């Protein structure tokens, strides 16, 4: 029984919670492939997508998920530049709260900001990414993709490769995959590994081929080259040379290893186009499809735990 | 001249002699006239304050207090800071120069001190800025600042990155025998950081600074202190790694002292927990092993001074995501109760506590307080070391309520405080 009021991170979920979400998401994958993709689970409920950091893809996925479930969905772009100076996050929360939303989907550039907001509103809050902290629906959609491709979500060897230090996707995935009892590796240059990573229950590699050896799943992360070049990596071409995923490097992984990426990709920086577009290995398009289904499942479960008359 | 006062039936705590035992004090003309050990004599003429066997100690001298005058009186005024100080057992505090504008000009020092003396119930001194505008580029008029009443020179939280500037400030100060106080944090490494690097900060996804940033700056400062011969005080050490260089400097006979904030003695990085912005401090809270190491260094005499590092912030500044929230906590009013945690844990004796909180700061700054001896100012604190209470931040006397001890159990309450023999606080 999914008993959470908010979805703030993978950290608060148990393996049972994760399985319940994925099982429900499976049914929504089937629904989404039908001609009539509509159910009325959220009819009458209001979902607000509050994005302090722009994200076309994640916002679209949440919007579609809410609409297919029958909610009234509103998008609010709150990028810093357009935020009225002086209005704090909590002011915004209180303003929104007065509009009686039922589900609030929040992305924010500061770690912990979504949890802070959840303390100030009366509705269910979904974390759509907070700073470098967590991005739980990304980890859940990755888990669903792996489970459907591999037939299980345990005893797999999974390598996460790239900017671990600044990635909320990496943190949520490490938590999620460890909870489901997989073997997790991280592969990155030392400058992109966070302090204390060896205590996250992962094996740490700076050599890509050593890290990929025998892997069932290879997860690539996006390199924000404009921010990292010169401070954390010398150049994108040297990065690609050492940590870019090519068919040659992938050859040391298991023959049936799948390749994942949360998008948007930088072809030629962290991943070679040949690998990214190889339909036998790359499940990147499938991740996008699973994203909508997982978000429908989470919205559905949280809506069941809303009180009666608000 | 007012009649003498007698503090009878006290447990005297005198850090200057190491005495912790029964006794009485006779106070007259604002100073201690006589210290009696053992049974209290018949006082005869004058006012009698029966201490009921409770500890009576020299008032705390707090070297590091931010007051928002000039520039931010809504955060803390000299009046509210003074009232908070008295309630925390602090009878003298040193205002930091990080005001708006900063105390980098003799007239501003005079202004601040005049304001303080008008409204504060406790004694107030000020430190002058070490560089103009606290910008770390040009040195201030050190002699004029000292003449205006500054007791030391510092840029507060602003670490001076430029070694050439720091060397000049130190060399010049050495000739004036001025005390240079510096915050040892390597600024490039600590830029943007709000936590200490390690597993915990990484799990929270917070920008962090490695603990060695403190040691790096301290080692530079110690090398410069050695070459210039200046009296140097590291304002707040918080990491184990910084202690070895400090110990070496001491052994080499350098005129070097060091402080630590009460928050870094009693809290660690885990207190940040779910991004609680009241625990966002300068320097950031450290690992438990670091906390243990600085407590030991304090108990064993390597660290000399405990400060509150009182830094008030209004509600707006703290009601933000952790990374964006203001840095610092109020500490005056909880000074003594928080320090008593270390006593109750068996880590410090009351005598050592008052060495670090009263005697040493007075000695380092050249102030007369911090001891129970004939001729010393009658700045006193009477407290019950055992009285338990739960702190409610709404009851704080500070204008700002950003204490990390909100809703925590504390043990030890100030019963009374006196400055120059006059009562300034009664519970």
């Amino acid at each position: 029984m999914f008993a959470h009021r908010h979805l703030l991170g993978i950290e608060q979920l148990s393996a049972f919670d994760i399985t319940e979400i994925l099982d429900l998401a499976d049914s929504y994958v089937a629904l989404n492939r039908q001609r009539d993709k509509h159910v009325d689970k959220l009819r009458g409920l209001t979902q607000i997508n509050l994005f302090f950091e722009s994200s076309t893809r994640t916002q679209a996925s949440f919007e579609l998920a809410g609409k297919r479930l029958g909610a009234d969905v509103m998008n609010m772009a709150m990028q810093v530049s357009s935020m009225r100076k002086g209005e704090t996050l909590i002011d915004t929360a209180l303003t929104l709260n007065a509009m009686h939303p039922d589900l609030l989907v929040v992305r924010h550039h500061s770690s912990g900001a979504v949890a802070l907001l959840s303390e100030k509103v009366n509705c269910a809050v979904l974390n759509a990414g907070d700073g470098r902290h967590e991005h739980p629906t990304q980890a859940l959609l990755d888990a669903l993709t792996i489970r459907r491709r591999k037939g299980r979500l345990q005893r797999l060897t999974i390598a996460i490769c790239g900017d671990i230090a600044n990635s909320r996707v990496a943190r949520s995935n490490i938590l999620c995959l460890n909870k489901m009892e997989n073997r997790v590796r991280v592969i990155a240059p030392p400058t992109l590994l966070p302090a204390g990573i060896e205590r996250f229950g992962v094996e740490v590699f700076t050599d890509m081929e050593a890290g990929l050896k025998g892997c069932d799943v290879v997860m690539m992360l996006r390199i924000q080259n404009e921010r990292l070049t010169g401070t954390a990596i010398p150049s994108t071409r040297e990065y690609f040379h050492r940590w870019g995923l090519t068919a040659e490097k992938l050859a040391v992984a298991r023959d049936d290893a799948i390749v994942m990426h949360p998008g948007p990709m930088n072809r030629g920086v962290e991943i070679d186009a040949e690998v990214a577009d190889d339909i036998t290995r790359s499940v990147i398009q499938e991740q996008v499809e699973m994203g909508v289904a997982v978000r429908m499942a989470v919205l559905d479960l949280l809506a069941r735990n809303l009180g009666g008359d608000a | 001249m007012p009649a003498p006062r007698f503090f009878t039936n006290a447990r005297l705590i005198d850090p200057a002699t190491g005495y912790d035992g029964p006794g009485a004090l006779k106070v007259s003309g604002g100073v201690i006239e006589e210290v009696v050990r053992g049974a209290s004599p018949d006082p005869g003429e004058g006012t009698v304050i029966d201490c009921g066997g409770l500890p009576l100690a020299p008032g705390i001298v707090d070297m590091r207090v931010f007051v928002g005058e000039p520039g931010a009186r809504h955060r803390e005024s000299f009046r509210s800071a003074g009232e908070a100080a008295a309630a925390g057992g602090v009878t003298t505090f040193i205002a930091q120069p990080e005001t708006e504008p900063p105390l980098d000009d003799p007239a501003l020092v005079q202004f601040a001190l005049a304001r303080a003396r008008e409204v504060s119930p406790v004694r107030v001194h000020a430190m002058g800025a070490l560089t103009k505008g606290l910008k770390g580029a040009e040195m201030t008029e050190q002699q004029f600042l000292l003449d205006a009443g500054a007791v030391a020179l510092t840029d507060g939280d602003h670490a001076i990155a430029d070694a050439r500037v720091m060397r000049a400030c130190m060399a010049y100060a050495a000739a004036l025998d001025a005390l240079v106080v510096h915050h040892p944090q390597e600024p490039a490494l600590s830029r943007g950081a709000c936590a200490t690097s390690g597993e915990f900060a990484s799990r929270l996804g917070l920008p962090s600074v490695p603990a060695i940033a403190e040691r790096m700056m301290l080692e530079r400062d110690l090398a410069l202190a050695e070459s210039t011969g200046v009296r140097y005080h590291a304002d707040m050490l918080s990491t184990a790694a910084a202690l070895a260089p400090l110990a070496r400097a001491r052994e080499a006979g350098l005129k070097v002292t060091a402080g630590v904030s009460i928050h870094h003695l009693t809290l660690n990085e885990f207190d940040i927990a779910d991004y609680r912005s009241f625990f966002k401090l300068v320097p950031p809270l450290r690992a438990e092993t670091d906390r243990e190491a600085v407590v030991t260094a304090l108990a064993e005499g390597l660290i000399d001074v405990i400060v509150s590092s009182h830094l008030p912030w209004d509600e707006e500044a703290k009601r933000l995501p952790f990374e964006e929230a203001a840095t610092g906590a109020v500490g005056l009013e909880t000074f003594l109760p928080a320090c008593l945690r270390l006593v109750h844990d068996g880590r410090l004796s009351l005598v050592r506590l008052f060495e670090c909180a009263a005697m040493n700061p007075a000695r380092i700054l050249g102030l007369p307080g911090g001891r129970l001896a004939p001729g010393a100012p009658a700045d006193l604190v009477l407290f019950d070391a055992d009285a338990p209470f739960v702190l409610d931040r709404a009851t704080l006397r500070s204008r700002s309520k950003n204490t990390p001890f909100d809703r925590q159990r504390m043990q030890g309450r100030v019963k009374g405080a006196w400055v120059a023999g006059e009562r300034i606080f009664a519970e």
Side-chain angles (χ1 to χ4, degrees), chain A residues 66-128:
Chain A
K67 284 182 169 164
R68 285 188 179 162
L69 292 172
D72 296 317
V73 183
M74 180 174 81
N75 292 319
M76 289 183 68
M78 303 289 294
Q79 275 83 302
V80 179
S81 56
S82 68
M83 253 180 95
R84 217 178 61 235
K85 201 169 162 58
E87 176 160 284
T88 66
L89 177 66
I90 290 173
D91 291 333
T92 308
L94 296 177
T95 305
L96 284 179
N97 201 41
M99 300 178 189
H100 299 290
D102 302 286
L103 298 148
L104 201 53
V105 177
V106 187
R107 169 167 289 192
H108 198 280
H109 44 83
S110 285
S111 303
V114 180
L116 176 67
L117 196 140
S118 74
E119 291 167 15
K120 308 292 173 186
V121 296
N122 298 325
C123 58
V125 174
L126 277 86
N127 183 358

Side-chain angles (χ1 to χ4, degrees), chain B residues 42-164:
Chain B
D42 179 14
E45 290 262 309
T47 320
V48 174
I49 295 140
D50 185 339
C51 299
L54 293 176
L56 182 68
I60 291 168
V61 179
D62 187 346
M63 283 180 73
R64 203 174 197 282
V65 170
F66 173 89
V67 177
E69 289 191 69
R73 213 159 64 168
H74 66 289
R75 283 165 57 193
E76 195 78 288
S77 68
F78 278 112
R79 186 191 304 275
S80 59
E83 286 166 0
V90 176
T91 55
T92 299
F93 72 75
I94 319 302
Q96 294 295 293
E98 293 171 287
T99 45
E100 184 54 51
L103 305 184
D104 61 356
D105 183 280
L108 288 162
V109 173
Q110 282 169 342
F111 165 80
L113 292 176
R115 272 291 301 164
R117 280 160 194 168
E118 195 180 317
V119 298
S120 167
V122 304
R123 295 181 202 266
V124 178
H125 298 275
M127 292 189 190
L130 201 49
T131 66
K132 289 179 186 161
L134 310 170
K135 290 193 166 77
E138 293 173 59
M139 61 196 288
T140 51
E141 297 167 316
Q142 296 188 358
Q143 179 69 65
F144 288 162
L145 289 170
L146 297 172
D147 290 348
V151 291
L153 301 165
T154 185
D155 271 4
D157 286 350
H158 297 70
I160 296 172
D162 188 324
R164 179 190 288 263

Side-chain angles (χ1 to χ4, degrees), chain B residues 139-267:
Chain B
M139 61 196 288
T140 51
E141 297 167 316
Q142 296 188 358
Q143 179 69 65
F144 288 162
L145 289 170
L146 297 172
D147 290 348
V151 291
L153 301 165
T154 185
D155 271 4
D157 286 350
H158 297 70
I160 296 172
D162 188 324
R164 179 190 288 263
V165 172
M166 191 59 169
R167 186 176 178 284
C169 290
M170 284 183 167
Y172 197 91
L176 303 176
D177 194 32
L179 177 71
V180 168
V181 179
H182 194 228
H183 181 60
Q185 282 294 319
E186 208 295 307
L189 271 182
S190 32
R191 195 185 308 128
C194 59
T196 303
S197 294
E199 180 194 356
F200 187 66
S202 292
R203 283 191 185 278
L204 292 179
L206 292 174
S208 61
V209 53
I212 53 158
E214 183 172 285
R215 178 188 126 197
M216 290 170 69
M217 189 53 105
L218 181 67
E219 298 215 58
R220 182 205 75 173
D221 285 356
L222 294 173
L224 291 174
E226 184 179 358
S227 76
T228 59
V230 73
R231 287 197 294 129
Y232 171 84
H233 178 77
D235 68 349
M236 292 188 289
L237 295 185
S238 56
T239 61
L243 299 173
L246 178 66
R248 280 199 299 276
R250 281 289 176 74
E251 278 164 31
L254 269 58
K255 292 179 274 185
V256 166
T257 51
V260 58
S261 97
I262 184 60
H263 299 129
H264 292 89
L265 291 168
T266 54
L267 305 169

Side-chain angles (χ1 to χ4, degrees), chain A residues 264-277:
Chain A
M265 278 182 284
N266 297 305
R267 289 183 174 81
V269 179
E270 70 262 4
I271 191 164
D272 189 46
E274 187 194 350
V275 178
D277 302 328

